Amino acid sequence: MHEDANAERRRLKAADDGTEPWREWGPYLSERAWGTVREDYSAEGDAWRYFPFEHARSRAYRWSEDGLAGLCNLNQDWCFALAFWNGRDPILKERAFGLANAEGNHGEDAKDYWWYEDATPTGSWLRWRYHYPQAEFPYQQLREQNAARGKDDPEYELVDTGIFAGDRYFIITADYAKAAPDAYAMRITVENAGPDPATLHVLPQLWFRDMWSWGRAPDIEDAVDTAGLMITGEPGRLTATHPHLTASLALFDGSGAEPVALLCDNETNAAVLFGSENRTPYSKDGIGDHVVSGAATVNPKNVGTKGALHYVLDLAAGERREINLWLAAESATLPDHAATLAEREREADEFYAELTPSGTTADDARIMRQAFSGLIWSKQFYHYDVHRWLRGDPAQPLPPDHRGHDRNAGWDHFWARDVLLMPDPWEYPWFASWDLAFHCAAMAEIDPGCAKEQLYTYLSQRYQHPNGLFPAYEWDFDDMNPPVFAWAALRVHRAVGGDREFLKACFHKLLLNFTFWVNRKDEGQDNIFEGGFLGLDNIGVFDRSRLPVGGVLEQSDGTGWMASYCLYMLEISIELAAQEPIYEEMACKFAEHYAYIAKAINDCGLWDEQDGFYYDRLRRDGDEAVVMRVRSMVGTVPLVAAIAVDADTLKRLPRFTEHLAEFTTRRPEYARAITRPHAAGGIVFSLADDVQASRILQRLSDTAEFFSPHGLRSLSRYHLDHPFSVELDGYTASVDYEPGESRSGMFGGNSNWRGPVWMPLNYLVYEAIRRVGPALAVTAHPTPNVPDVDRAGFAEELRQRLIGIFRLAEDGTRPVLGPVGTGAPETDAAMPAESALLQADPRWRDRPWFFEYFHGDTGKGLGASHQTGWTALIGSLIRNQPSGFPVR
């Protein structure tokens, strides 16, 4: 790193070197902890119902905490978040509201409007924004209206209630700037956007994660003795002492104001929830009940384990007010408050200016910055000890006897207490396997040290099963996600400038996982792989993890992923062999294993010569195999399994080169898989040869099939008029093109791969074409009537269309925010009120969200609304503008 590196780069280096703990505090508090598997101790395993939203204000969490614009330390000993009250709501607005899975007509669904506006990797500068209605929040109306709607209906959103009419809402912005690793200068800005005077109660809250209510001894894990922790309050100040902290922590007003301090305890109100005796008269909901109804539920002695400073702001129409706070260790030296905020924002500007390519438009630069910022806000504290969860806690009701045979029962070794990158801090407040690999690839662009630590953590023995499997996601660790961590490890390795020890550590753990796949997911031991749903949820005619009929589903994507796995392990082996020749043997192993897979997928029925596409195939004993002729991303994954090895590399690895020659001479039937010519000499390893690739790319580039104005659809639009249907043993199922929300209840109905655009696979297709495009493009087609595809042009057009989802178009709208009206009453009547507001008002329009997936025809964002996990890949697409195809 250069000595003149910007300030944030210097902080990152100090954090990576261990000289200053700049990552110790950060935005690690989830937006939702209720309704998670960790908190589910029910007999039936229904996490949403066991710990619903209504319980969250009154019931202590066992494993983690949640809040709005939240902060905590790495161990989540303490938590900070904001709460609000508009004088009309029945409860404090302490956490974002949303529907549980069964309540939404398309699965779980957040119903508040907030943004992760800005962030630097160390959390030295953070900005969060929220639009809070001035009328009573319509909790029940949102539930009832969505419950009355079916799968064919759009979701009923908060704006559809009319609550934002006349701009009657508050714009709340939270700015946090680190003066030191243990000191935040905070500015809470509140604006009355409406035409009338309005009052807002603002309650910055500081509390301890409950580590004491579970009957564990203080010396076990993170349990603490309650005698050693306390928050005390006085006007304008909260002071917290905790046995895990070396110094007291203070939250206090930075401008001399003296808001009232309110204190209660972060413990369950058992009397209200369960009709049993409370451990404290001032339970977790005490501050809320006191503010909303004046109840005597805060401790008059001003002590507790949860505290708030209570500000009451009377705002004229259009008026803006600021609250200035410090959150700091008592030992910290505090500089000027306003200067700290200004300096950190300026440093954030410098950091992102350095990342932004020259010639990038201001709009693209802002999209990139917000995408990476959302990724940083997605770093969340995650605590889950399966051994203890299965057995329960001594001071709590024990789980049912069958718990030891239920969900995640085979993962007794799993223990996590880490800050992890999560897909979406509200909808998916837990890690997910293949999501995390993409998160790390995006994070490597801005904070390679963090990305490296994420992979170290996930690949550790605390997570990986003894059989080699990596846990999929909290709801079912045993499920299968695509094996993309070798790809991620290479990305991170290169981002940190080459870290051989890191790459070796990853390689050895990945070897165990690769062996698991070979042993467990190749039913016929013929190099055709299964794997189940593989993250693609309802893209097939039935749940691919639970077949409704007998047989084995041989999967094009499963086989494609495994070929890709081979090739990335081959790349890692080549990288390591540069200094340690022993890894040439591993390169030989993976090249040969890849050849077996390549021959199998092309010669054993998954490649369809008639259609020029890869399909899944259901193999049944004694019957002819049934080909699932569904043109979807399943058949595109084999295109991703491609790398190029140049002539210089082959010269540098003589044993590897000799092995390839010997292998293809001895087994000429495999020569086709590994003797494809390279434009500059060398070898292209690719499942699809030049002709096959061109035939697939013809479909991908066809606007009547995959190529939408906003990227590649996950299912060909061909199936809109030509649904695929199959009937087996009296069971009938079909697949048709669904560009928007899913009409299927499969996987909870909240995830749709039957048409929408998904960022991760679009990104991999784009990257694969860039990676090997020139090498494959040089071969003349031996098959007539298969025209070449301008691969470079197609890749760049795909990149532009994906970025265009978020860009401000010539008509002044952003596709991600939904279609606008045409001016015709018969069409405008059906236009969602949400799109009309978001597209018309710059206060909304210029703050796009980064959704889980996007409508296959319009580009409108769908699914989880804050998925700047893998959708942060858009930042990488903006940042890495191609200057031609790189050839390795």
Side-chain angles (χ1 to χ4, degrees):
M1 181 175 295
H2 300 296
E3 289 186 6
D4 61 349
N6 62 49
E8 180 63 11
R9 288 290 176 197
R10 292 195 294 271
R11 283 189 285 269
L12 285 170
K13 185 176 188 306
D16 289 342
D17 293 345
T19 57
E20 292 183 277
W22 283 105
R23 294 192 185 96
E24 177 66 25
W25 292 13
Y28 311 142
L29 189 73
S30 290
E31 302 285 355
R32 178 175 67 83
W34 59 274
T36 59
V37 168
R38 284 159 288 159
E39 300 294 340
D40 178 19
Y41 289 82
S42 68
E44 64 278 0
D46 189 337
W48 288 105
R49 293 183 186 276
Y50 180 75
F51 203 135
F53 174 80
E54 284 74 19
H55 281 207
R57 64 182 299 270
S58 304
R59 186 169 165 184
Y61 294 121
R62 170 64 177 91
W63 297 102
S64 63
E65 297 284 341
D66 60 15
L68 299 174
L71 303 172
C72 68
N73 64 344
L74 286 173
N75 195 51
Q76 202 172 85
D77 299 297
W78 57 265
C79 304
F80 169 87
L82 300 177
F84 311 104
W85 188 51
N86 57 14
R88 294 179 173 86
D89 286 354
I91 59 174
L92 283 189
K93 177 59 70 174
E94 294 182 277
R95 55 188 53 80
F97 172 69
L99 303 179
N101 189 283
E103 295 175 321
N105 59 327
H106 296 289
E108 59 262 29
D109 183 23
K111 295 300 184 186
D112 270 298
Y113 294 113
W114 74 96
W115 294 262
Y116 306 119
E117 288 222 298
D118 208 2
T120 52
T122 64
S124 62
W125 169 254
L126 301 166
R127 173 169 286 165
W128 175 93
R129 180 178 173 115
Y130 176 52
H131 290 181
Y132 182 35
Q134 294 173 2
E136 180 178 340
F137 198 93
Y139 293 103
Q140 191 58 28
Q141 183 182 355
L142 288 166
R143 277 204 172 99
E144 291 175 352
Q145 287 293 324
N146 280 285
R149 297 189 174 198
K151 297 293 185 186
D152 292 329
D153 301 315
E155 295 166 351
Y156 186 71
E157 305 293 0
L158 179 59
V159 71
D160 295 323
T161 68
I163 202 167
F164 291 103
D167 293 333
R168 288 177 170 82
Y169 63 96
F170 300 104
I171 299 174
I172 302 166
T173 304
D175 294 328
Y176 304 149
K178 281 184 182 176
D182 56 357
Y184 263 116
M186 300 175 158
R187 178 177 59 218
I188 316 303
T189 306
V190 179
E191 179 184 349
N192 176 6
D196 304 313
T199 298
L200 178 67
H201 298 245
V202 181
L203 295 102
Q205 298 191 93
L206 179 66
W207 72 97
F208 297 134
R209 178 164 61 90
D210 189 337
M211 309 175 190
W212 57 86
S213 293
W214 321 108
R216 296 284 174 185
D219 62 340
I220 296 179
E221 197 182 348
D222 58 2
V224 296
D225 188 339
T226 53
L229 74 164
M230 180 180 294
I231 300 176
T232 59
E234 57 187 284
R237 186 182 186 91
L238 298 173
T239 304
T241 58
H242 192 293
H244 290 175
L245 304 179
T246 57
S248 297
L249 183 65
L251 174 68
F252 59 95
D253 190 277
S255 57
E258 295 188 341
V260 174
L262 304 174
L263 279 297
C264 65
D265 291 306
N266 185 24
E267 298 192 31
T268 298
N269 190 335
V272 166
L273 295 179
F274 311 116
S276 54
E277 185 177 352
N278 281 341
R279 285 163 42 98
T280 170
Y282 312 109
S283 52
K284 179 180 177 180
D285 50 17
I287 293 172
D289 288 346
H290 176 77
V291 171
V292 172
S293 62
T297 49
V298 293
N299 193 331
K301 295 181 181 179
N302 274 353
V303 296
T305 52
K306 178 182 178 182
L309 299 179
H310 186 194
Y311 293 84
V312 182
L313 306 182
D314 296 315
L315 300 162
E319 184 180 1
R320 179 182 298 180
R321 296 267 295 277
E322 290 183 1
I323 295 172
N324 293 298
L325 298 164
W326 280 104
L327 175 66
E330 293 273 36
S331 57
T333 300
L334 304 181
D336 180 78
H337 188 275
T340 300
L341 285 155
E343 185 176 13
R344 293 297 175 266
E345 184 172 16
R346 178 185 58 78
E347 291 167 354
D349 291 342
E350 289 179 354
F351 176 78
Y352 282 106
E354 183 184 279
L355 288 171
T356 306
S358 61
T360 303
T361 67
D363 193 34
D364 279 7
R366 180 171 181 169
I367 293 165
M368 183 195 76
R369 181 167 176 170
Q370 193 177 339
F372 286 139
S373 296
L375 180 65
I376 293 164
W377 277 93
S378 295
K379 290 196 289 186
Q380 308 285 288
F381 175 78
Y382 184 84
H383 188 17
Y384 189 19
D385 181 340
V386 172
H387 177 81
R388 290 189 181 155
W389 178 75
L390 290 171
R391 289 155 182 78
D393 293 307
Q396 300 295 314
L398 294 178
D401 291 339
H402 59 76
R403 169 62 70 89
H405 306 287
D406 291 346
R407 173 189 292 140
N408 299 336
W411 292 78
D412 193 74
H413 74 285
F414 183 93
W415 180 83
R417 193 178 67 205
D418 306 291
V419 169
L420 296 175
L421 287 161
M422 297 189 183
D424 176 297
W426 189 90
E427 191 153 338
Y428 305 116
W430 24 264
F431 75 88
S433 177
W434 73 314
D435 302 59
L436 183 60
F438 292 110
H439 304 168
C440 289
M443 181 61 78
E445 302 271 351
I446 56 173
D447 186 356
C450 171
K452 186 169 74 169
E453 189 59 35
Q454 291 288 301
L455 286 179
Y456 267 138
T457 299
Y458 183 75
L459 300 182
S460 73
Q461 70 280 1
R462 294 191 289 116
Y463 286 63
Q464 188 173 27
H465 197 281
N467 67 16
L469 180 62
F470 292 126
Y473 48 89
E474 185 174 278
W475 287 89
D476 188 354
F477 282 175
D478 286 311
D479 225 330
M480 303 301 298
N481 274 187
V484 289
F485 277 95
W487 169 81
L490 272 168
R491 288 286 297 258
V492 174
H493 164 72
R494 289 165 181 156
V496 298
D499 185 333
R500 293 180 53 78
E501 293 307 309
F502 161 75
L503 196 60
K504 285 165 65 176
C506 291
F507 182 76
H508 295 154
K509 300 309 289 287
L510 291 166
L511 272 176
L512 299 176
N513 181 249
F514 183 89
T515 303
F516 169 88
W517 274 84
V518 172
N519 289 339
R520 299 288 188 91
K521 296 301 173 182
D522 180 5
E523 179 80 13
Q525 298 184 357
D526 55 2
N527 295 298
I528 297 292
F529 289 84
E530 298 81 43
F533 90 119
L534 287 178
L536 300 186
D537 293 12
N538 64 357
I539 200 166
V541 285
F542 37 68
D543 182 343
R544 300 191 299 170
S545 294
R546 298 169 180 83
L547 301 184
V549 296
V552 174
L553 187 68
E554 299 176 328
Q555 296 177 217
S556 291
D557 53 343
T559 307
W561 287 124
M562 281 303 290
S564 178
Y565 205 166
C566 275
L567 293 179
Y568 286 118
M569 293 295 275
L570 168 60
E571 273 203 273
I572 294 174
S573 301
I574 290 172
E575 190 95 11
L576 295 175
Q579 295 183 23
E580 298 179 73
I582 189 62
Y583 283 97
E584 274 196 75
E585 291 297 324
M586 299 307 298
C588 296
K589 176 263 185 299
F590 283 109
E592 189 171 318
H593 202 142
Y594 152 78
Y596 297 144
I597 297 173
K599 183 178 187 304
I601 195 173
N602 287 311
D603 296 348
C604 297
L606 298 189
W607 170 256
D608 187 271
E609 184 62 30
Q610 175 183 325
D611 289 359
F613 209 71
Y614 290 100
Y615 294 126
D616 287 352
R617 183 177 67 166
L618 182 64
R619 178 168 50 82
R620 312 180 77 200
D621 292 340
D623 294 329
E624 184 178 350
V626 180
V627 177
M628 302 295 169
R629 294 181 180 277
V630 180
R631 294 210 280 268
S632 73
M633 277 294 184
V634 164
T636 304
V637 170
L639 193 67
V640 172
I643 65 169
V645 180
D646 60 31
D648 289 341
T649 299
L650 293 177
K651 291 177 182 177
R652 182 168 50 82
L653 302 173
R655 291 166 63 189
F656 174 66
T657 305
E658 290 169 7
H659 174 78
L660 292 182
E662 183 274 331
F663 175 68
T664 53
T665 299
R666 177 169 52 86
R667 301 295 301 273
E669 67 270 30
Y670 294 106
R672 173 176 172 268
I674 52 177
T675 56
R676 292 171 191 156
H678 190 295
I683 297 173
V684 173
F685 295 87
S686 62
L687 281 190
D689 65 19
D690 192 27
V691 175
Q692 290 171 313
S694 286
R695 296 186 72 184
I696 296 171
L697 287 170
Q698 282 292 322
R699 295 202 183 279
L700 294 185
S701 59
D702 186 346
T703 57
E705 288 219 31
F706 285 94
F707 210 17
S708 85
H710 312 287
L712 296 174
R713 303 175 174 104
S714 50
L715 184 75
S716 171
R717 202 172 188 276
Y718 167 84
H719 291 297
L720 177 66
D721 298 319
H722 306 87
F724 173 78
S725 182
V726 63
E727 183 173 345
L728 297 166
D729 300 340
Y731 177 87
T732 303
S734 63
V735 170
D736 61 356
Y737 173 71
E738 298 179 3
E741 294 287 11
S742 175
R743 292 177 294 173
S744 166
M746 199 183 301
F747 294 94
N750 64 322
S751 186
N752 185 13
W753 288 82
R754 295 185 174 185
V757 173
W758 289 75
M759 195 61 64
L761 284 182
N762 271 259
Y763 187 88
L764 289 179
V765 169
Y766 165 77
E767 186 194 62
I769 297 172
R770 283 197 61 195
R771 187 168 57 242
V772 300
L776 283 179
V778 298
T779 306
H781 288 306
T783 304
N785 303 319
V786 182
D788 277 325
V789 174
D790 176 7
R791 294 184 170 105
F794 172 68
E796 178 57 15
E797 180 62 24
L798 174 59
R799 187 179 81 93
Q800 292 295 337
R801 292 190 186 194
L802 292 169
I803 299 171
I805 294 172
F806 303 92
R807 280 181 177 142
L808 192 65
E810 291 184 3
D811 64 359
T813 65
R814 298 184 191 273
V816 64
L817 300 178
V820 296
T822 62
E826 63 274 14
T827 58
D828 289 358
M831 184 178 68
E834 184 178 50
S835 296
L837 172 65
L838 300 185
Q839 298 283 23
D841 189 336
R843 292 173 295 186
W844 300 75
R845 183 196 63 206
D846 293 337
R847 293 172 173 83
W849 289 288
F850 296 83
F851 286 84
E852 187 178 5
Y853 50 98
F854 305 90
H855 194 284
D857 295 334
T858 69
K860 174 179 169 56
L862 302 168
S865 56
H866 292 76
Q867 187 128 347
T868 24
W870 63 22
T871 301
L873 290 166
I874 202 69
S876 180
L877 288 172
I878 293 172
R879 182 168 180 248
N880 295 293
Q881 298 178 358
S883 56
F885 283 111
V887 178
R888 290 196 297 273

